[in-house]
Amino acid sequence: MMQQTRSKWAELYLILVFIFLYLPIFYLVWYSFNAGDTMNSFTGFSLRHFSELFSDTRLVIILLNTFLLAFLSVFSDTRLVIILLNTFLLAFLSALIATVIGTFGALFIYYLRKRRHRNTLLSLNNILIVSPDVTIGASFLILFITLGSIFSGFSLGFWTVLLAHVSFSIPIVVLMILPKLQEMNDSMITAGYDLGANNRQILKDIILPYLSPGIIAGYFMAFTYSLDDFAVTFFVTGNGFTTLSVEIYSRARRGVSLEINALSTLVFLFALVLVVGYYYISKDNQPRSKKKKRGLLR
């Protein structure tokens, strides 16, 4: 009886948490279809702000290049579309680089012989996760300014933002992959060596396939963190390069336009597609790993 009561309270708490998290998003999406120009009142359903969004920014053209290549000619070349492209390009690249580095970093940490060294590296890895974004952004800014004073051609821009995003994404990837390494049965590796496999074959045919769910999860987490980061990007951006979060902040200071609501709706739908895709990828990977385990046990 007590367990059922606790379960009901836990479900109610979970429902309230999801309402708290998603209600502002749905509120924003609802007003992106408002016929009026403000969020003070809903005057009628309209797609006017989406139309203004597509005709007001060049970045929308490249956003649609990702999904609807056949309709590229419909949209004009505008600044906000370039910013949206910059944001997604930055997120894809930083997540990809961080996933590669984080995967091999997790392997390096896991296979360290001395536990003291392993714990030290894990502590250093966790510093960027627990540190405030403002502190991280200011630290990178000081570093890049120092490098700019040493190397004359070095300046703030796309590459500095990319380096910063890769740096704070790597610890996330490491933490997503380490649990999978700890779950992995080392007898699989031993069996591979007994069958004559070399280190490259062990890595390619045993370790990486087993870690694929953690690697995919790490990539999506790094992509999400890069996509919505503001504080670090605000410190290290420059030379005309900006991302969606920084642009929205700059425009919000002059008054929120409902074009931002329309753009945010599209980004939210894109993120929703990524989550659904990750769910089905994970669903497909899990039975395969279980089948491999059962085959090895046999």
Side-chain angles (χ1 to χ4, degrees):
M1 190 66 180
M2 288 290 294
Q3 291 181 351
Q4 292 180 352
T5 304
R6 289 179 181 177
S7 177
K8 290 181 180 179
W9 280 109
E11 291 178 0
L12 178 61
Y13 174 76
L14 189 62
I15 292 172
L16 292 175
V17 168
F18 275 104
I19 291 175
F20 177 77
L21 291 175
Y22 282 95
L23 189 60
I25 297 175
F26 289 123
Y27 179 78
L28 180 146
V29 171
W30 173 254
Y31 271 95
S32 68
F33 297 100
N34 187 15
D37 294 324
T38 67
M39 297 177 63
N40 295 331
S41 62
F42 192 85
T43 58
F45 183 86
S46 174
L47 297 176
R48 178 170 64 90
H49 300 292
F50 288 91
S51 175
E52 291 175 357
L53 170 67
F54 288 132
S55 63
D56 186 44
T57 64
R58 274 185 353 190
L59 202 54
V60 177
I61 292 182
I62 309 187
L63 173 67
L64 295 177
N65 186 32
T66 309
F67 302 101
L68 305 171
L69 189 61
F71 299 97
L72 280 176
S73 59
V74 177
F75 304 101
S76 60
D77 210 19
T78 57
R79 180 173 181 271
L80 193 59
V81 184
I82 294 178
I83 295 171
L84 187 59
L85 172 65
N86 289 339
T87 304
F88 280 104
L89 177 64
L90 177 69
F92 278 121
L93 285 179
S94 63
L96 180 62
I97 298 171
T99 301
V100 174
I101 298 174
T103 300
F104 288 98
L107 289 170
F108 179 77
I109 293 173
Y110 179 76
Y111 286 108
L112 275 177
R113 294 182 179 180
K114 293 185 179 181
R115 186 174 181 179
R116 179 167 56 87
H117 293 166
R118 186 163 60 247
N119 291 336
T120 301
L121 287 178
L122 280 174
S123 300
L124 293 174
N125 179 78
N126 294 336
I127 287 177
L128 282 176
I129 296 179
V130 300
S131 297
D133 289 344
V134 175
T135 304
I136 297 173
S139 301
F140 278 120
L141 178 61
I142 294 172
L143 172 64
F144 294 146
I145 289 176
T146 304
L147 291 176
S149 62
I150 298 174
F151 305 101
S152 58
F154 189 88
S155 60
L156 297 178
F158 173 79
W159 295 107
T160 57
V161 178
L162 179 63
L163 289 173
H165 281 224
V166 170
S167 298
F168 69 66
S169 297
I170 289 174
I172 302 166
V173 177
V174 171
L175 289 184
M176 297 299 293
I177 294 176
L178 276 177
K180 294 297 296 181
L181 278 170
Q182 294 166 354
E183 293 174 5
M184 186 174 63
N185 190 351
D186 292 334
S187 61
M188 293 190 299
I189 299 176
T190 305
Y193 282 123
D194 291 340
L195 293 172
N198 55 34
N199 291 333
R200 185 181 63 83
Q201 291 172 326
I202 292 291
L203 178 66
K204 181 174 69 73
D205 298 327
I206 297 178
I207 297 178
L208 291 181
Y210 186 86
L211 297 179
S212 59
I215 294 173
I216 294 171
Y219 178 86
F220 276 100
M221 289 294 293
F223 179 85
T224 304
Y225 270 73
S226 175
L227 193 64
D228 68 353
D229 177 76
F230 167 75
V232 177
T233 307
F234 185 77
F235 277 94
V236 298
T237 190
N239 286 343
F241 177 82
T242 186
T243 61
L244 189 60
S245 58
V246 177
E247 179 69 14
I248 290 175
Y249 172 77
S250 301
R251 294 194 177 197
R253 296 178 65 182
R254 302 191 299 266
V256 178
S257 170
L258 292 186
E259 292 178 25
I260 299 299
N261 289 53
L263 181 60
S264 301
T265 301
L266 294 176
V267 174
F268 173 72
L269 292 176
F270 177 78
L272 191 62
V273 170
L274 287 181
V275 171
V276 173
Y278 168 67
Y279 170 76
Y280 281 105
I281 291 173
S282 302
K283 188 178 179 181
D284 290 339
N285 283 338
Q286 195 166 359
R288 292 176 187 171
S289 62
K290 288 182 178 179
K291 289 178 182 178
K292 288 181 181 179
K293 286 183 181 179
R294 284 198 296 267
L296 287 170
L297 289 174
R298 288 175 182 173

